[in-house]
């Protein structure tokens, strides 16, 4: 049964979102790391929740959420909103794309093929890949000089789980040149079109990998959009800059949930709920991750 709720003006949540993202970037960059900074983030998150979900407070209950936001609200760090802590939240570009993603097959027959890729200049990411490789002994691992664009594309083609830890850049002037930095150069959204079969699940612990550029008609273009256009079912990416050392515990906990059979959105929510909320950098880094697609 469909029900329509008036959420009010779009201007208020946009302002609150901008303020929250600014506060999160300050935490990540350690420009404010005390209790006051954490309280400021919590207050901003509560105000954003009131602006976006306030009229729905009586109907949300504890059910999972699928959100199809207007383009400017695609970067909401849902896990930081008080009503969404521990809640499974999935963000989709449209209801049709969400439905197609849900209807695609989940895990492919046979043993899951896992790909672990680590870009250069990220000591925390290297430790993250080391730990995950121990959990997935049969995984294809690409790091150091081996993590080239061509080798990554070959490994990603048809993968069940693709985990790419690399520096990310968003190109607002041409979003298809948004890229992940690998050993021999950038892996762009254009390069992904060389895949014959997109990875089923893509995990992108890279700075602002979930951000996108909003075009006319609320179309959002960026790295996650490129994967979905090629057939990826689910992606996990971040809407804020993240220090690589702070993402490792979250990613390890997320994979633990996936191996226990949890849906991706639920595994992410559980990992985020388990973050040390007294650590401002860990709180900001974990809170910025969002599950896109089928959830």
């Amino acid at each position: 049964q469909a029900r329509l709720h008036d959420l009010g003006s779009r201007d208020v949540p946009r302002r609150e979102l901008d303020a929250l993202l600014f506060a999160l970037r300050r935490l990540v960059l350690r420009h404010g790391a005390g209790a006051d900074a954490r309280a400021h983030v919590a207050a901003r998150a509560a105000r954003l929740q009131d602006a976006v979900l306030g009229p729905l407070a009586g109907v949300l209950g504890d059910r999972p959420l699928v959100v199809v936001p207007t383009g400017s609200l695609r970067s909401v760090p849902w896990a930081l909103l008080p009503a969404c802590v521990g809640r499974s939240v999935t963000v989709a570009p449209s209801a049709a794309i969400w439905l197609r993603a849900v209807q695609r097959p989940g895990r492919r027959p046979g043993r899951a093929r896992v790909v672990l890729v680590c870009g250069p200049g990220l000591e925390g990411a290297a430790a993250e890949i080391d730990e995950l490789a121990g959990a997935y002994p049969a995984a294809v691992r690409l790091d150091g000089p081996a993590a080239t664009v061509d080798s990554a594309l070959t490994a990603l083609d048809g993968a069940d789980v693709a985990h790419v830890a690399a520096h990310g850049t968003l190109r607002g002037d041409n979003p298809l040149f948004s890229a992940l930095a690998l050993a021999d150069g950038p892996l762009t959204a254009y390069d992904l079109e060389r895949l014959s079969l997109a990875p089923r699940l893509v995990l992108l612990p890279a700075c602002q990998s979930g951000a996108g550029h909003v075009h006319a008609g609320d179309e959002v273009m960026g790295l996650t959009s490129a994967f979905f256009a090629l057939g990826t079912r689910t992606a996990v990416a971040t809407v804020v800059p993240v220090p690589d050392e702070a993402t490792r515990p979250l990613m390890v906990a997320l994979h633990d949930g996936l191996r226990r059979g949890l849906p991706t959105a639920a595994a992410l929510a559980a990992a985020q709920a388990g973050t040390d909320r007294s650590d401002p950098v860990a709180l900001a880094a974990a809170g910025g991750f969002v599950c896109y697609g089928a959830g």
Side-chain angles (χ1 to χ4, degrees), residues 4 36 41-42 60 66 79 84 90-91 96 106 115 123 133 144 146 157 173 198 235 265 270 292:
L4 181 65
D36 288 345
V41 167
L60 287 180
V66 176
C84 294
T90 302
V91 176
V115 177
E123 292 185 6
D157 209 330
D173 58 330
Y292 297 97

Side-chain angles (χ1 to χ4, degrees), residues 100-101 103-115 153-162 195-202 227-234:
R100 285 201 299 271
Q103 291 174 336
R104 289 189 186 111
R107 180 170 173 172
R108 293 164 185 145
R111 174 181 289 182
R113 190 159 75 82
V114 178
V115 177
L153 286 171
T154 298
L156 294 175
D157 209 330
D160 291 289
V161 180
L195 296 174
S196 59
L197 183 60
R200 177 182 58 85
L201 169 61
V202 178
F227 275 110
F228 286 127
L230 295 168
T232 289
R233 188 174 187 270
T234 307

Side-chain angles (χ1 to χ4, degrees), residues 67-76 78 91-93 218:
V67 184
V68 180
T70 184
S72 60
L73 296 180
R74 189 174 184 271
S75 295
V76 170
W78 295 97
V91 176
D218 259 359

Side-chain angles (χ1 to χ4, degrees), residues 152-243:
L153 286 171
T154 298
L156 294 175
D157 209 330
D160 291 289
V161 180
H163 182 112
V164 185
H167 282 299
T169 55
L170 175 66
R171 284 279 299 271
D173 58 330
N174 191 335
L176 289 179
F177 281 111
S178 298
L180 298 166
L182 297 183
D184 61 342
L187 171 64
T188 68
Y190 270 128
D191 291 322
L192 296 174
E193 294 181 357
R194 293 160 55 186
L195 296 174
S196 59
L197 183 60
R200 177 182 58 85
L201 169 61
V202 178
L203 308 177
L204 296 174
C207 285
Q208 293 180 290
S209 53
H213 188 70
V214 183
H215 289 258
D218 259 359
E219 181 182 15
V220 179
M221 297 183 67
L223 285 168
T224 56
S225 302
F227 275 110
F228 286 127
L230 295 168
T232 289
R233 188 174 187 270
T234 307
V236 172
T238 179
V239 297
V240 297
V242 288

Side-chain angles (χ1 to χ4, degrees), residues 1-288:
Q1 179 180 358
R3 284 180 285 178
L4 181 65
H5 300 267
D6 184 0
L7 302 183
S9 168
R10 290 188 298 178
D11 294 335
V12 175
R14 283 172 177 166
R15 289 196 301 270
E16 295 298 340
L17 174 60
D18 288 343
L20 175 57
L21 292 177
F22 177 76
L24 286 177
R25 286 191 289 269
R26 282 180 53 83
L27 278 187
V28 168
L29 297 173
R30 302 179 190 276
H31 291 163
D36 288 345
R38 296 197 303 274
H40 182 64
V41 167
R44 287 294 184 185
R47 283 200 284 269
L48 178 58
Q49 174 176 294
D50 288 343
V52 176
L53 298 179
L56 302 176
V59 298
L60 287 180
D62 60 355
R63 70 190 67 181
L65 291 183
V66 176
V67 184
V68 180
T70 184
S72 60
L73 296 180
R74 189 174 184 271
S75 295
V76 170
W78 295 97
L80 292 175
L81 274 56
C84 294
V85 174
R87 184 193 299 269
S88 173
V89 180
T90 302
V91 176
S94 72
I97 289 176
W98 173 79
L99 183 60
R100 285 201 299 271
V102 169
Q103 291 174 336
R104 289 189 186 111
R107 180 170 173 172
R108 293 164 185 145
R111 174 181 289 182
R113 190 159 75 82
V114 178
V115 177
L116 306 173
V117 182
C118 181
L122 296 171
E123 292 185 6
E128 176 180 299
I129 294 299
D130 280 341
E131 192 162 354
L132 292 177
Y136 298 105
V140 176
R141 176 176 175 173
L142 299 173
D143 54 7
T148 64
V149 171
D150 284 342
S151 62
L153 286 171
T154 298
L156 294 175
D157 209 330
D160 291 289
V161 180
H163 182 112
V164 185
H167 282 299
T169 55
L170 175 66
R171 284 279 299 271
D173 58 330
N174 191 335
L176 289 179
F177 281 111
S178 298
L180 298 166
L182 297 183
D184 61 342
L187 171 64
T188 68
Y190 270 128
D191 291 322
L192 296 174
E193 294 181 357
R194 293 160 55 186
L195 296 174
S196 59
L197 183 60
R200 177 182 58 85
L201 169 61
V202 178
L203 308 177
L204 296 174
C207 285
Q208 293 180 290
S209 53
H213 188 70
V214 183
H215 289 258
D218 259 359
E219 181 182 15
V220 179
M221 297 183 67
L223 285 168
T224 56
S225 302
F227 275 110
F228 286 127
L230 295 168
T232 289
R233 188 174 187 270
T234 307
V236 172
T238 179
V239 297
V240 297
V242 288
D244 55 294
E245 69 277 4
T247 65
R248 181 164 63 93
L250 178 76
M251 289 293 107
V252 171
L254 169 58
H255 278 277
D256 285 344
L258 293 175
R259 291 198 306 277
R260 293 199 309 270
L262 291 178
T264 305
L268 176 62
Q272 290 169 317
T275 299
D276 180 4
R277 302 184 79 83
S278 67
D279 182 340
V281 177
L283 173 67

